[in-house]
Amino acid sequence: ALIHPGDLPLFDNTVEQLITTKESVHLEFRVRRSSGNYIIVEAQGRFHLDSNGELIRMVGFISNINDRKLAEEHNRRLTAILEATSDIVGISTPDGKVAYLNKAGRKLLGWMENGDLSNRSIADAHPEWAVRLVREEGLPTTRDGIPWESESAIIGHDGCEIPVSQVLMCHRSENSEILNYSTIIRDISKRKNLEEELSIFFRFAESSGQGFGMATIEGELTYMNPMLLQMVGEDSLQNVLGRNISTWYQ
């Protein structure tokens, strides 16, 4: 059969309805090519009637929309991935208007999940210093064809700054015209908090009168504070890094 078996019932029902109602028809279905492969086509048709309602003629045409439908399916799959990721993914126009923001981005920024983005801009998502960083460093770098990566910040739903890592890219047409910019942003606030806690610990350890040390699970030493170095008779951290802690228990 020329028409795909799965689309044949719909095709037959549409033809019957067309004959009965003589209304315009629009239908998409799969047809088999001479190679045996199926493609998706779009059929449109309408009846022309005289003043008495009698059929004069029927005009219709069929278009190959296979590439368009495949592209739409590809975009649906891509959108599903972007909406599922915990990273922020956004697209902006050349003049900085937000064209797309995924679910994670809307949630972190406190923007309505299905809200209108037409009045939103990059500046709405970042504190002023981060906006300057993107405009003065990020965008010029990407326009040279180089993806830009840096630590930045966004404004969370509570109005507080959230530290992030950000990748920014520029997309051009075949004529080198800028089409849009895309960005991937990851919340690094937990990492920053951990770094701050470690910094406080090391500042305390360096001045402490007690010995502090750190080692891997295999026992390789990664840190000794000055007091512990003194206790074990070493004068330099570099002399002990990588040595096994069992060295001092023999």
Side-chain angles (χ1 to χ4, degrees), residues 30-89:
R30 290 163 290 178
V31 297
R32 183 170 53 83
R33 308 180 73 171
S34 58
S35 62
N37 296 325
Y38 284 91
I39 62 170
I40 304 173
V41 299
E42 177 185 52
Q44 296 188 55
R46 61 178 298 182
F47 284 109
H48 290 265
L49 308 177
D50 61 20
S51 58
N52 297 319
E54 297 296 326
L55 177 64
I56 301 174
R57 63 182 178 275
M58 186 182 77
V59 178
F61 62 88
I62 296 178
S63 304
N64 182 349
I65 60 170
N66 197 65
D67 289 344
R68 190 190 82 194
K69 299 299 287 187
L70 291 177
E72 289 174 355
E73 178 60 25
H74 173 76
N75 288 337
R76 277 194 293 269
R77 292 177 181 176
L78 179 59
T79 300
I81 293 172
L82 297 180
E83 290 299 308
T85 183
S86 58
D87 289 340
I88 297 175
V89 181

Short mmCIF file of all heavy atoms in Angstrom, two decimals, residues 30-89:
data_model
loop_
_atom_site.label_atom_id
_atom_site.label_comp_id
_atom_site.label_asym_id
_atom_site.label_seq_id
_atom_site.Cartn_x
_atom_site.Cartn_y
_atom_site.Cartn_z
N ARG A 30 1.83 9.26 6.39
CA ARG A 30 3.06 8.71 5.83
C ARG A 30 2.78 7.96 4.53
O ARG A 30 1.79 7.23 4.45
CB ARG A 30 3.71 7.76 6.83
CG ARG A 30 4.30 8.44 8.05
CD ARG A 30 4.56 7.46 9.18
NE ARG A 30 3.31 6.99 9.77
CZ ARG A 30 3.24 6.09 10.76
NH1 ARG A 30 4.35 5.56 11.24
NH2 ARG A 30 2.06 5.71 11.24
N VAL A 31 3.63 8.17 3.53
CA VAL A 31 3.51 7.46 2.26
C VAL A 31 4.83 6.75 1.96
O VAL A 31 5.91 7.19 2.37
CB VAL A 31 3.14 8.41 1.10
CG1 VAL A 31 1.79 9.04 1.34
CG2 VAL A 31 4.20 9.49 0.91
N ARG A 32 4.71 5.66 1.22
CA ARG A 32 5.89 4.85 0.91
C ARG A 32 6.51 5.30 -0.41
O ARG A 32 5.81 5.44 -1.41
CB ARG A 32 5.50 3.37 0.84
CG ARG A 32 6.69 2.43 0.58
CD ARG A 32 6.27 0.98 0.78
NE ARG A 32 5.08 0.66 0.00
CZ ARG A 32 5.11 0.32 -1.30
NH1 ARG A 32 6.26 0.27 -1.95
NH2 ARG A 32 3.98 0.05 -1.93
N ARG A 33 7.82 5.50 -0.38
CA ARG A 33 8.53 5.87 -1.60
C ARG A 33 8.93 4.60 -2.36
O ARG A 33 8.80 3.47 -1.85
CB ARG A 33 9.77 6.69 -1.26
CG ARG A 33 9.47 7.89 -0.36
CD ARG A 33 10.69 8.69 -0.03
NE ARG A 33 11.15 9.46 -1.18
CZ ARG A 33 12.10 10.38 -1.12
NH1 ARG A 33 12.70 10.63 0.05
NH2 ARG A 33 12.47 11.05 -2.19
N SER A 34 9.44 4.78 -3.55
CA SER A 34 9.85 3.63 -4.38
C SER A 34 10.95 2.82 -3.71
O SER A 34 11.10 1.63 -3.96
CB SER A 34 10.31 4.12 -5.75
OG SER A 34 11.39 5.03 -5.62
N SER A 35 11.73 3.49 -2.83
CA SER A 35 12.82 2.81 -2.12
C SER A 35 12.30 1.94 -1.00
O SER A 35 13.05 1.13 -0.43
CB SER A 35 13.79 3.84 -1.55
OG SER A 35 13.12 4.68 -0.61
N GLY A 36 11.02 2.09 -0.66
CA GLY A 36 10.44 1.34 0.45
C GLY A 36 10.39 2.12 1.74
O GLY A 36 9.72 1.70 2.69
N ASN A 37 11.10 3.25 1.80
CA ASN A 37 11.08 4.09 2.98
C ASN A 37 9.82 4.97 3.00
O ASN A 37 9.28 5.31 1.95
CB ASN A 37 12.32 4.99 3.04
CG ASN A 37 13.60 4.17 3.17
OD1 ASN A 37 13.62 3.13 3.82
ND2 ASN A 37 14.66 4.66 2.55
N TYR A 38 9.40 5.32 4.20
CA TYR A 38 8.23 6.18 4.35
C TYR A 38 8.65 7.62 4.64
O TYR A 38 9.64 7.86 5.34
CB TYR A 38 7.33 5.69 5.48
CG TYR A 38 6.51 4.46 5.12
CD1 TYR A 38 6.99 3.18 5.37
CD2 TYR A 38 5.26 4.60 4.52
CE1 TYR A 38 6.25 2.06 5.04
CE2 TYR A 38 4.50 3.48 4.19
CZ TYR A 38 5.00 2.21 4.45
OH TYR A 38 4.27 1.11 4.11
N ILE A 39 7.91 8.56 4.11
CA ILE A 39 8.10 9.97 4.42
C ILE A 39 6.77 10.55 4.88
O ILE A 39 5.71 9.99 4.59
CB ILE A 39 8.63 10.78 3.22
CG1 ILE A 39 7.62 10.73 2.05
CG2 ILE A 39 9.99 10.29 2.78
CD1 ILE A 39 7.96 11.69 0.92
N ILE A 40 6.83 11.65 5.59
CA ILE A 40 5.62 12.31 6.07
C ILE A 40 5.22 13.40 5.08
O ILE A 40 6.06 14.22 4.68
CB ILE A 40 5.84 12.92 7.47
CG1 ILE A 40 6.32 11.85 8.44
CG2 ILE A 40 4.55 13.57 7.98
CD1 ILE A 40 6.74 12.39 9.78
N VAL A 41 3.95 13.39 4.68
CA VAL A 41 3.46 14.41 3.74
C VAL A 41 2.28 15.14 4.36
O VAL A 41 1.63 14.64 5.30
CB VAL A 41 3.05 13.80 2.39
CG1 VAL A 41 4.24 13.13 1.71
CG2 VAL A 41 1.90 12.82 2.56
N GLU A 42 2.01 16.30 3.83
CA GLU A 42 0.87 17.11 4.25
C GLU A 42 -0.06 17.28 3.06
O GLU A 42 0.38 17.72 2.00
CB GLU A 42 1.35 18.46 4.76
CG GLU A 42 0.24 19.42 5.16
CD GLU A 42 0.79 20.78 5.53
OE1 GLU A 42 1.56 21.36 4.72
OE2 GLU A 42 0.47 21.27 6.63
N ALA A 43 -1.32 16.94 3.23
CA ALA A 43 -2.31 17.08 2.16
C ALA A 43 -3.33 18.13 2.56
O ALA A 43 -3.84 18.13 3.68
CB ALA A 43 -3.00 15.75 1.90
N GLN A 44 -3.61 19.03 1.63
CA GLN A 44 -4.64 20.04 1.84
C GLN A 44 -5.54 20.08 0.62
O GLN A 44 -5.06 19.94 -0.52
CB GLN A 44 -4.02 21.43 2.06
CG GLN A 44 -3.16 21.52 3.32
CD GLN A 44 -2.72 22.93 3.60
OE1 GLN A 44 -3.56 23.83 3.70
NE2 GLN A 44 -1.42 23.14 3.74
N GLY A 45 -6.83 20.25 0.83
CA GLY A 45 -7.76 20.28 -0.30
C GLY A 45 -9.07 20.96 0.09
O GLY A 45 -9.40 21.06 1.26
N ARG A 46 -9.76 21.43 -0.92
CA ARG A 46 -11.07 22.04 -0.68
C ARG A 46 -11.95 21.90 -1.92
O ARG A 46 -11.46 21.80 -3.05
CB ARG A 46 -10.93 23.52 -0.31
CG ARG A 46 -10.27 24.37 -1.36
CD ARG A 46 -10.23 25.83 -0.93
NE ARG A 46 -11.58 26.36 -0.74
CZ ARG A 46 -11.82 27.61 -0.39
NH1 ARG A 46 -10.81 28.43 -0.18
NH2 ARG A 46 -13.06 28.03 -0.26
N PHE A 47 -13.27 21.85 -1.67
CA PHE A 47 -14.25 21.79 -2.76
C PHE A 47 -14.67 23.20 -3.15
O PHE A 47 -14.77 24.10 -2.29
CB PHE A 47 -15.50 21.01 -2.32
CG PHE A 47 -15.30 19.52 -2.28
CD1 PHE A 47 -15.25 18.84 -1.07
CD2 PHE A 47 -15.17 18.81 -3.46
CE1 PHE A 47 -15.07 17.47 -1.04
CE2 PHE A 47 -14.99 17.43 -3.43
CZ PHE A 47 -14.95 16.76 -2.23
N HIS A 48 -14.95 23.39 -4.44
CA HIS A 48 -15.52 24.63 -4.94
C HIS A 48 -16.94 24.31 -5.41
O HIS A 48 -17.13 23.43 -6.27
CB HIS A 48 -14.68 25.20 -6.08
CG HIS A 48 -13.36 25.74 -5.62
ND1 HIS A 48 -13.15 27.06 -5.33
CD2 HIS A 48 -12.18 25.11 -5.38
CE1 HIS A 48 -11.89 27.24 -4.94
NE2 HIS A 48 -11.29 26.06 -4.97
N LEU A 49 -17.92 25.00 -4.85
CA LEU A 49 -19.32 24.73 -5.17
C LEU A 49 -19.93 25.92 -5.90
O LEU A 49 -19.49 27.06 -5.75
CB LEU A 49 -20.10 24.47 -3.87
CG LEU A 49 -19.53 23.41 -2.92
CD1 LEU A 49 -20.38 23.34 -1.66
CD2 LEU A 49 -19.45 22.05 -3.60
N ASP A 50 -20.97 25.62 -6.69
CA ASP A 50 -21.67 26.71 -7.37
C ASP A 50 -22.74 27.28 -6.43
O ASP A 50 -22.85 26.87 -5.26
CB ASP A 50 -22.29 26.24 -8.69
CG ASP A 50 -23.31 25.13 -8.51
OD1 ASP A 50 -23.82 24.97 -7.38
OD2 ASP A 50 -23.60 24.43 -9.50
N SER A 51 -23.53 28.20 -6.93
CA SER A 51 -24.54 28.87 -6.10
C SER A 51 -25.62 27.92 -5.61
O SER A 51 -26.32 28.21 -4.64
CB SER A 51 -25.18 30.03 -6.88
OG SER A 51 -25.77 29.54 -8.09
N ASN A 52 -25.73 26.78 -6.26
CA ASN A 52 -26.74 25.78 -5.86
C ASN A 52 -26.16 24.72 -4.95
O ASN A 52 -26.83 23.75 -4.60
CB ASN A 52 -27.36 25.12 -7.10
CG ASN A 52 -28.11 26.12 -7.96
OD1 ASN A 52 -28.82 26.99 -7.43
ND2 ASN A 52 -27.94 26.00 -9.27
N GLY A 53 -24.88 24.89 -4.60
CA GLY A 53 -24.24 23.91 -3.74
C GLY A 53 -23.73 22.70 -4.47
O GLY A 53 -23.37 21.69 -3.83
N GLU A 54 -23.70 22.75 -5.78
CA GLU A 54 -23.21 21.62 -6.56
C GLU A 54 -21.69 21.73 -6.73
O GLU A 54 -21.14 22.82 -6.88
CB GLU A 54 -23.89 21.58 -7.93
CG GLU A 54 -25.40 21.38 -7.87
CD GLU A 54 -25.76 20.03 -7.28
OE1 GLU A 54 -24.99 19.06 -7.51
OE2 GLU A 54 -26.80 19.93 -6.60
N LEU A 55 -21.06 20.58 -6.74
CA LEU A 55 -19.60 20.53 -6.86
C LEU A 55 -19.15 20.98 -8.25
O LEU A 55 -19.64 20.48 -9.26
CB LEU A 55 -19.10 19.11 -6.59
CG LEU A 55 -17.60 18.87 -6.76
CD1 LEU A 55 -16.80 19.70 -5.75
CD2 LEU A 55 -17.28 17.39 -6.61
N ILE A 56 -18.25 21.93 -8.27
CA ILE A 56 -17.65 22.37 -9.54
C ILE A 56 -16.29 21.70 -9.73
O ILE A 56 -16.01 21.10 -10.76
CB ILE A 56 -17.48 23.90 -9.56
CG1 ILE A 56 -18.82 24.59 -9.37
CG2 ILE A 56 -16.81 24.34 -10.84
CD1 ILE A 56 -18.69 26.10 -9.24
N ARG A 57 -15.48 21.80 -8.71
CA ARG A 57 -14.14 21.20 -8.78
C ARG A 57 -13.58 21.07 -7.36
O ARG A 57 -14.07 21.68 -6.42
CB ARG A 57 -13.19 22.05 -9.63
CG ARG A 57 -12.94 23.45 -9.08
CD ARG A 57 -12.03 24.26 -9.99
NE ARG A 57 -11.80 25.61 -9.49
CZ ARG A 57 -12.60 26.62 -9.71
NH1 ARG A 57 -13.71 26.43 -10.44
NH2 ARG A 57 -12.33 27.83 -9.22
N MET A 58 -12.53 20.27 -7.26
CA MET A 58 -11.81 20.13 -6.01
C MET A 58 -10.35 20.46 -6.27
O MET A 58 -9.75 19.96 -7.23
CB MET A 58 -11.92 18.71 -5.43
CG MET A 58 -11.29 18.60 -4.04
SD MET A 58 -11.36 16.94 -3.35
CE MET A 58 -10.03 16.15 -4.26
N VAL A 59 -9.77 21.30 -5.43
CA VAL A 59 -8.37 21.70 -5.57
C VAL A 59 -7.60 21.22 -4.34
O VAL A 59 -8.06 21.39 -3.21
CB VAL A 59 -8.24 23.23 -5.70
CG1 VAL A 59 -6.78 23.63 -5.80
CG2 VAL A 59 -9.01 23.72 -6.91
N GLY A 60 -6.47 20.62 -4.58
CA GLY A 60 -5.67 20.14 -3.45
C GLY A 60 -4.21 19.99 -3.84
O GLY A 60 -3.85 20.04 -5.02
N PHE A 61 -3.38 19.85 -2.84
CA PHE A 61 -1.96 19.61 -3.11
C PHE A 61 -1.36 18.83 -1.94
O PHE A 61 -1.89 18.79 -0.83
CB PHE A 61 -1.20 20.92 -3.32
CG PHE A 61 -1.21 21.85 -2.13
CD1 PHE A 61 -0.24 21.74 -1.15
CD2 PHE A 61 -2.19 22.83 -1.99
CE1 PHE A 61 -0.23 22.59 -0.06
CE2 PHE A 61 -2.19 23.69 -0.91
CZ PHE A 61 -1.21 23.56 0.07
N ILE A 62 -0.25 18.17 -2.23
CA ILE A 62 0.47 17.38 -1.23
C ILE A 62 1.91 17.89 -1.16
O ILE A 62 2.56 18.06 -2.20
CB ILE A 62 0.46 15.88 -1.58
CG1 ILE A 62 -0.99 15.35 -1.54
CG2 ILE A 62 1.33 15.09 -0.61
CD1 ILE A 62 -1.09 13.88 -1.93
N SER A 63 2.39 18.11 0.05
CA SER A 63 3.75 18.61 0.25
C SER A 63 4.55 17.62 1.08
O SER A 63 4.02 16.99 2.01
CB SER A 63 3.73 19.96 0.97
OG SER A 63 2.96 20.90 0.27
N ASN A 64 5.83 17.49 0.76
CA ASN A 64 6.74 16.67 1.54
C ASN A 64 7.20 17.47 2.75
O ASN A 64 7.93 18.46 2.61
CB ASN A 64 7.94 16.27 0.67
CG ASN A 64 8.91 15.35 1.42
OD1 ASN A 64 8.82 15.16 2.63
ND2 ASN A 64 9.87 14.80 0.68
N ILE A 65 6.77 17.08 3.94
CA ILE A 65 7.15 17.80 5.16
C ILE A 65 8.01 16.92 6.06
O ILE A 65 8.12 17.18 7.27
CB ILE A 65 5.91 18.28 5.92
CG1 ILE A 65 5.03 17.07 6.33
CG2 ILE A 65 5.10 19.28 5.10
CD1 ILE A 65 3.91 17.45 7.30
N ASN A 66 8.64 15.92 5.48
CA ASN A 66 9.39 14.95 6.28
C ASN A 66 10.52 15.62 7.05
O ASN A 66 10.71 15.38 8.25
CB ASN A 66 9.94 13.85 5.38
CG ASN A 66 10.35 12.63 6.16
OD1 ASN A 66 9.52 11.95 6.77
ND2 ASN A 66 11.65 12.33 6.18
N ASP A 67 11.31 16.47 6.37
CA ASP A 67 12.44 17.13 7.04
C ASP A 67 11.96 18.02 8.18
O ASP A 67 12.58 18.07 9.25
CB ASP A 67 13.25 17.95 6.03
CG ASP A 67 14.02 17.09 5.06
OD1 ASP A 67 14.19 15.88 5.34
OD2 ASP A 67 14.46 17.61 4.02
N ARG A 68 10.86 18.72 7.93
CA ARG A 68 10.32 19.60 8.97
C ARG A 68 9.86 18.81 10.19
O ARG A 68 10.13 19.19 11.34
CB ARG A 68 9.14 20.40 8.41
CG ARG A 68 8.66 21.52 9.35
CD ARG A 68 7.36 22.11 8.85
NE ARG A 68 6.22 21.30 9.25
CZ ARG A 68 5.00 21.42 8.74
NH1 ARG A 68 4.79 22.29 7.76
NH2 ARG A 68 4.01 20.67 9.17
N LYS A 69 9.19 17.69 9.96
CA LYS A 69 8.70 16.88 11.07
C LYS A 69 9.85 16.24 11.85
O LYS A 69 9.79 16.15 13.08
CB LYS A 69 7.75 15.79 10.56
CG LYS A 69 6.51 16.32 9.85
CD LYS A 69 5.66 17.19 10.75
CE LYS A 69 4.91 16.40 11.78
NZ LYS A 69 3.95 17.23 12.55
N LEU A 70 10.89 15.82 11.13
CA LEU A 70 12.06 15.26 11.81
C LEU A 70 12.74 16.33 12.66
O LEU A 70 13.19 16.06 13.77
CB LEU A 70 13.05 14.70 10.78
CG LEU A 70 12.60 13.44 10.04
CD1 LEU A 70 13.65 13.04 9.01
CD2 LEU A 70 12.34 12.28 11.00
N ALA A 71 12.81 17.55 12.13
CA ALA A 71 13.41 18.65 12.88
C ALA A 71 12.58 18.97 14.12
O ALA A 71 13.12 19.24 15.20
CB ALA A 71 13.54 19.89 12.00
N GLU A 72 11.25 18.95 13.98
CA GLU A 72 10.37 19.20 15.11
C GLU A 72 10.55 18.14 16.19
O GLU A 72 10.57 18.45 17.39
CB GLU A 72 8.91 19.25 14.65
CG GLU A 72 8.57 20.47 13.82
CD GLU A 72 7.16 20.41 13.27
OE1 GLU A 72 6.49 19.37 13.45
OE2 GLU A 72 6.71 21.41 12.65
N GLU A 73 10.68 16.88 15.77
CA GLU A 73 10.88 15.80 16.73
C GLU A 73 12.22 15.95 17.44
O GLU A 73 12.33 15.73 18.64
CB GLU A 73 10.80 14.45 16.01
CG GLU A 73 11.04 13.24 16.91
CD GLU A 73 10.04 13.14 18.04
OE1 GLU A 73 8.91 13.66 17.91
OE2 GLU A 73 10.38 12.52 19.07
N HIS A 74 13.25 16.32 16.67
CA HIS A 74 14.57 16.56 17.25
C HIS A 74 14.49 17.67 18.30
O HIS A 74 15.06 17.57 19.39
CB HIS A 74 15.58 16.92 16.16
CG HIS A 74 16.91 17.35 16.68
ND1 HIS A 74 17.84 16.45 17.17
CD2 HIS A 74 17.48 18.59 16.81
CE1 HIS A 74 18.92 17.10 17.58
NE2 HIS A 74 18.73 18.39 17.37
N ASN A 75 13.79 18.75 17.97
CA ASN A 75 13.65 19.87 18.89
C ASN A 75 12.87 19.48 20.15
O ASN A 75 13.19 19.94 21.25
CB ASN A 75 12.97 21.05 18.20
CG ASN A 75 13.86 21.73 17.19
OD1 ASN A 75 15.09 21.62 17.26
ND2 ASN A 75 13.28 22.41 16.22
N ARG A 76 11.87 18.63 19.98
CA ARG A 76 11.10 18.17 21.14
C ARG A 76 11.98 17.37 22.09
O ARG A 76 11.91 17.53 23.31
CB ARG A 76 9.90 17.32 20.69
CG ARG A 76 8.68 18.14 20.28
CD ARG A 76 7.44 17.27 20.18
NE ARG A 76 7.54 16.33 19.09
CZ ARG A 76 7.13 16.56 17.86
NH1 ARG A 76 6.61 17.73 17.55
NH2 ARG A 76 7.24 15.64 16.92
N ARG A 77 12.80 16.49 21.51
CA ARG A 77 13.70 15.69 22.35
C ARG A 77 14.73 16.58 23.05
O ARG A 77 15.03 16.39 24.24
CB ARG A 77 14.40 14.64 21.50
CG ARG A 77 13.46 13.55 20.96
CD ARG A 77 14.21 12.59 20.06
NE ARG A 77 13.32 11.57 19.53
CZ ARG A 77 13.70 10.64 18.65
NH1 ARG A 77 14.94 10.63 18.20
NH2 ARG A 77 12.83 9.75 18.22
N LEU A 78 15.27 17.54 22.32
CA LEU A 78 16.26 18.45 22.89
C LEU A 78 15.64 19.27 24.01
O LEU A 78 16.24 19.44 25.08
CB LEU A 78 16.82 19.37 21.81
CG LEU A 78 17.86 20.40 22.25
CD1 LEU A 78 19.07 19.71 22.86
CD2 LEU A 78 18.29 21.27 21.08
N THR A 79 14.43 19.78 23.78
CA THR A 79 13.75 20.57 24.80
C THR A 79 13.49 19.74 26.05
O THR A 79 13.63 20.23 27.18
CB THR A 79 12.42 21.13 24.26
OG1 THR A 79 12.70 21.97 23.13
CG2 THR A 79 11.69 21.93 25.32
N ALA A 80 13.13 18.47 25.87
CA ALA A 80 12.88 17.59 27.01
C ALA A 80 14.15 17.43 27.86
O ALA A 80 14.09 17.42 29.09
CB ALA A 80 12.39 16.22 26.53
N ILE A 81 15.29 17.32 27.18
CA ILE A 81 16.56 17.20 27.90
C ILE A 81 16.88 18.48 28.66
O ILE A 81 17.26 18.47 29.83
CB ILE A 81 17.70 16.87 26.92
CG1 ILE A 81 17.50 15.47 26.32
CG2 ILE A 81 19.07 16.95 27.61
CD1 ILE A 81 18.46 15.14 25.19
N LEU A 82 16.70 19.63 27.98
CA LEU A 82 17.00 20.92 28.60
C LEU A 82 16.09 21.20 29.79
O LEU A 82 16.52 21.78 30.78
CB LEU A 82 16.85 22.05 27.57
CG LEU A 82 17.80 22.00 26.37
CD1 LEU A 82 17.53 23.17 25.43
CD2 LEU A 82 19.25 22.01 26.82
N GLU A 83 14.83 20.76 29.69
CA GLU A 83 13.90 21.00 30.79
C GLU A 83 14.16 20.08 31.96
O GLU A 83 13.77 20.38 33.09
CB GLU A 83 12.46 20.81 30.29
CG GLU A 83 11.98 21.90 29.34
CD GLU A 83 11.98 23.28 30.00
OE1 GLU A 83 11.41 23.42 31.08
OE2 GLU A 83 12.59 24.20 29.42
N ALA A 84 14.82 18.94 31.72
CA ALA A 84 15.06 17.97 32.79
C ALA A 84 16.36 18.24 33.55
O ALA A 84 16.49 17.81 34.70
CB ALA A 84 15.10 16.56 32.21
N THR A 85 17.31 18.96 32.94
CA THR A 85 18.60 19.16 33.60
C THR A 85 18.48 20.12 34.77
O THR A 85 17.63 21.01 34.79
CB THR A 85 19.64 19.71 32.60
OG1 THR A 85 20.91 19.83 33.27
CG2 THR A 85 19.24 21.07 32.06
N SER A 86 19.34 19.94 35.77
CA SER A 86 19.35 20.82 36.93
C SER A 86 20.16 22.08 36.67
O SER A 86 20.10 23.04 37.45
CB SER A 86 19.92 20.09 38.16
OG SER A 86 21.24 19.63 37.89
N ASP A 87 20.94 22.11 35.59
CA ASP A 87 21.67 23.31 35.21
C ASP A 87 20.72 24.32 34.56
O ASP A 87 19.71 23.94 33.96
CB ASP A 87 22.80 22.98 34.22
CG ASP A 87 23.94 22.23 34.87
OD1 ASP A 87 24.06 22.28 36.11
OD2 ASP A 87 24.71 21.58 34.14
N ILE A 88 21.07 25.58 34.65
CA ILE A 88 20.30 26.61 33.96
C ILE A 88 20.75 26.68 32.52
O ILE A 88 21.95 26.75 32.24
CB ILE A 88 20.50 27.99 34.63
CG1 ILE A 88 19.98 27.97 36.06
CG2 ILE A 88 19.80 29.08 33.83
CD1 ILE A 88 20.25 29.25 36.82
N VAL A 89 19.81 26.63 31.60
CA VAL A 89 20.11 26.77 30.18
C VAL A 89 19.25 27.90 29.63
O VAL A 89 18.03 27.90 29.80
CB VAL A 89 19.82 25.47 29.40
CG1 VAL A 89 20.16 25.65 27.92
CG2 VAL A 89 20.61 24.30 29.98
#
